Amino acid sequence: MIKAKQDVSDILGQNERITQKINKKQAASLQRIVETIEQLTIRMGNRLSETLRRKNEALKQATKRERADPLSTLAPLVSPICLNDDIAFLQLLVKLGRTQDAATAYAGRRSLLLMETLNERPVAGFGSTGTNDVVIY
């Protein structure tokens, strides 16, 4: 989409610099194409931002539920690998010129990871005799 927008804009720019090679109807059509591409770009950026926001919110809610459950597993819910889960979405947002949205989504995911790391439960528990070994399969 970005490439198509650049190509159409180049054609319109060349038409203004050089003698009239395309007629007014074609120029108007190209202008509508540029406007449509801009609208689609905005829509795609909004959807990407909303998807990232929803994923982060779902992870946040799942973390709260997991923390409230005393019988939950010892494995952390958010791993460091999850920072790369949305790399394609983040790169698209940057290419679309929405760096603030990409930074907000990435910062939200990093905050979740940091909170999960800080609240991580120990693998060995403390009993009345000191430390108890936990069997890991």
Side-chain angles (χ1 to χ4, degrees), residues 1-134:
M1 219 180 333
I2 297 169
K3 178 83 169 127
K5 182 180 175 184
Q6 290 173 348
D7 291 344
V8 173
S9 296
D10 289 343
I11 291 170
L12 284 173
Q14 289 174 359
N15 185 45
E16 292 172 358
R17 282 182 264 140
I18 306 175
T19 60
Q20 297 293 329
K21 289 189 176 185
I22 59 176
N23 60 28
K24 290 183 181 184
K25 185 176 179 181
Q26 291 170 331
S29 176
L30 287 174
Q31 189 62 35
R32 279 193 306 273
I33 290 171
V34 168
E35 291 170 1
T36 303
I37 290 173
E38 287 175 2
Q39 291 171 353
L40 291 173
T41 301
I42 291 170
R43 185 183 299 170
M44 185 171 50
N46 289 341
R47 287 185 180 172
L48 289 171
S49 295
E50 184 65 19
T51 300
L52 290 170
R53 187 193 64 75
R54 285 182 181 176
K55 281 184 179 182
N56 284 343
E57 186 61 33
L59 278 172
K60 190 182 298 184
Q61 294 302 321
T63 302
K64 286 180 183 177
R65 282 191 304 272
E66 191 236 38
R67 291 283 172 226
D69 183 12
L71 301 175
S72 64
T73 62
L74 296 175
L77 184 65
V78 181
S79 72
I81 297 168
C82 80
L83 290 175
N84 292 330
D85 286 351
D86 300 323
I87 196 76
F89 286 4
L90 295 171
Q91 287 175 340
L92 274 173
L93 280 173
V94 169
K95 285 182 181 180
L96 294 174
R98 301 192 50 179
T99 54
Q100 186 63 37
D101 291 343
T104 301
Y106 187 74
R109 186 65 63 94
R110 290 226 15 179
S111 296
L112 286 172
L113 175 63
L114 180 62
M115 291 304 296
E116 186 69 24
T117 304
L118 292 175
N119 292 322
E120 195 170 299
R121 297 180 193 106
V123 174
F126 290 100
S128 59
T129 61
T131 59
N132 294 329
D133 292 333
V134 177

